[in-house]
């Protein structure tokens, strides 16, 4: 009788142990990949390796969604983990056209990343996602860009009424800021004119002094961007750093978002 009870107890426990083991694997893969900004290094398809353009990246969020850039177009998808694998489905993307080399990489990356069950393998700051056929994506963890010494290209503006405006791709090179710790100044370009001002960083805030600018005139869209950025100066703005993204928010609620230029 005791043997029967022991046997039944073992049979009851075994499925629980197996289930826990499976759950641990899933949690492990999710914890290794989620919540990290991954820079895409290369994609290998049918033995051919393509190096990634600087914009290609991937971030899997804890809410089961994934976002990133294929190399030209931004994308979003659903992400699901099982054991040591991840699968991205229901992908959607923007529809811009870029130079042929970028588009060739984008097609290879998109086809490899989505609608496949991918094996997850991490080593140090590196991540490799591999399909059943052996095609693979190599990625590297992005570290937080430093506030000082980084060229912050402005990508979007949000006014006090909550109206967000993304800057056209050609404008991001003409609107940027750089903070220098030694001189205590910020320099850059506001869309049309170059700017210099004192910049004091303290407790999550940046106090920007009165701006000194050049006096050029540019087209309307550039001048509109410049006017919006000028409102951040001669006052204090809170700032936030999230890996490669800088957010500046003025006391009246206007926001500028910038990305670190590689």
């Amino acid at each position: 009788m005791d043997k029967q009870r022991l046997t039944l107890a073992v049979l009851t426990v075994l499925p629980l142990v197996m289930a826990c083991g499976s759950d641990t694997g899933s949690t492990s893969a999710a914890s290794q990949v989620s919540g990290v900004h991954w820079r895409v290094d290369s994609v290998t398809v049918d033995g051919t390796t393509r190096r990634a353009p600087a914009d290609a990246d991937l971030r899997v969020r804890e809410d089961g969604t994934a976002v990133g850039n294929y190399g030209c177009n931004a994308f979003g998808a659903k992400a699901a983990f099982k054991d040591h694998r991840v699968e991205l489905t229901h992908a959607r993307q923007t529809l811009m056209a870029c130079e042929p080399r970028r588009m060739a990489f984008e097609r290879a990356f998109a086809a490899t990343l989505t609608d496949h069950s991918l094996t997850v393998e991490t080593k140090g700051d590196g991540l490799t996602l591999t399909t059943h056929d052996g095609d693979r994506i190599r990625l590297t963890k992005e570290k937080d860009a430093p506030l000082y010494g980084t060229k912050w290209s402005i990508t979007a503006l949000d006014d006090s009424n909550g109206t967000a405006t993304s800057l056209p791709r050609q404008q991001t090179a003409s609107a940027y800021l750089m903070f220098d710790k030694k001189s205590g100044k910020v320099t850059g370009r506001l869309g049309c004119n170059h700017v210099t001002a004192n910049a004091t960083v303290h407790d999550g805030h940046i106090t920007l002094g009165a701006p000194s600018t050049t006096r050029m005139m540019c087209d309307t869209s550039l001048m509109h961007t410049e006017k919006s950025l000028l409102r951040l100066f001669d006052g204090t703005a809170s700032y936030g750093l999230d890996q490669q993204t800088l957010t500046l928010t003025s006391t009246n609620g206007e926001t500028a978002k910038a990305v670190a230029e590689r």
Side-chain angles (χ1 to χ4, degrees):
M1 193 68 173
D2 290 340
K3 287 184 177 180
Q4 283 184 325
R5 287 176 180 169
L6 180 60
T7 301
L8 287 172
V10 170
L11 290 175
T12 302
V13 170
L14 275 176
L16 293 174
V17 172
M18 292 173 68
C20 288
S22 175
D23 184 62
T24 300
S26 175
T27 301
S28 176
S31 63
Q32 290 171 6
V33 176
S34 299
V36 177
H37 185 190
W38 297 100
R39 181 185 72 244
V40 182
D41 297 322
S42 66
V43 173
T44 301
V45 178
D46 295 332
T48 299
T49 298
R50 291 180 171 86
R51 302 297 302 175
D55 293 343
D57 66 352
L58 169 67
R59 184 181 297 191
V60 180
R61 298 164 171 163
E62 285 80 357
D63 64 359
T65 60
V67 294
N69 190 292
Y70 285 135
C72 176
N73 286 282
F75 70 88
K78 292 183 178 180
F81 291 91
K82 184 176 181 181
D83 298 326
H84 293 284
R85 305 182 74 84
V86 63
E87 186 171 2
L88 273 64
T89 58
H90 300 86
R92 59 203 181 282
Q93 68 178 75
T94 55
L95 298 173
M96 295 189 299
C98 296
E99 60 175 314
R101 185 178 177 184
R102 276 178 178 260
M103 298 308 295
F105 176 86
E106 177 163 301
R107 287 190 292 271
F109 181 26
T112 307
L113 182 67
T114 58
D115 298 322
H116 295 283
S117 182
L118 302 166
T119 300
V120 175
E121 182 183 357
T122 57
K123 186 176 181 181
D125 288 338
L127 168 66
T128 302
L129 302 175
T130 307
T131 69
H132 177 73
D133 296 330
D135 296 335
R136 63 185 180 273
I137 304 166
R138 295 193 184 277
L139 310 95
T140 302
K141 183 185 296 185
E142 283 276 28
K143 295 182 174 62
D144 285 349
L147 174 66
Y148 294 109
T150 299
K151 183 178 180 180
W152 295 104
S153 295
I154 309 297
T155 57
L157 298 169
D158 190 347
D159 64 26
S160 56
N161 295 319
T163 303
T165 304
S166 295
L167 269 64
R169 200 176 189 90
Q170 62 270 25
Q171 277 196 31
T172 58
S174 61
Y176 67 89
L177 298 172
M178 293 185 69
F179 296 90
D180 184 77
K181 189 173 185 178
K182 186 176 180 180
S183 66
K185 292 184 178 296
V186 60
T187 58
R189 195 172 176 186
L190 302 175
C192 178
N193 287 284
H194 293 274
V195 64
T196 302
N198 292 326
T200 304
V201 180
H202 54 94
D203 300 326
H205 293 78
I206 302 176
T207 299
L208 298 172
S212 174
T213 67
T214 53
R215 300 293 180 184
M216 296 186 296
M217 291 297 294
C218 299
D219 65 56
T220 304
S221 63
L222 288 173
M223 297 308 294
H224 177 74
T225 297
E226 182 162 306
K227 184 177 179 181
S228 297
L229 288 172
L230 278 171
R231 288 197 288 267
L232 291 171
F233 289 82
D234 210 7
T236 298
S238 62
Y239 78 94
L241 274 174
D242 181 11
Q243 294 175 337
Q244 302 295 301
T245 301
L246 170 67
T247 303
L248 294 170
T249 305
S250 67
T251 53
N252 62 4
E254 293 185 320
T255 298
K257 291 189 176 181
V259 296
E261 187 171 303
R262 292 170 184 157

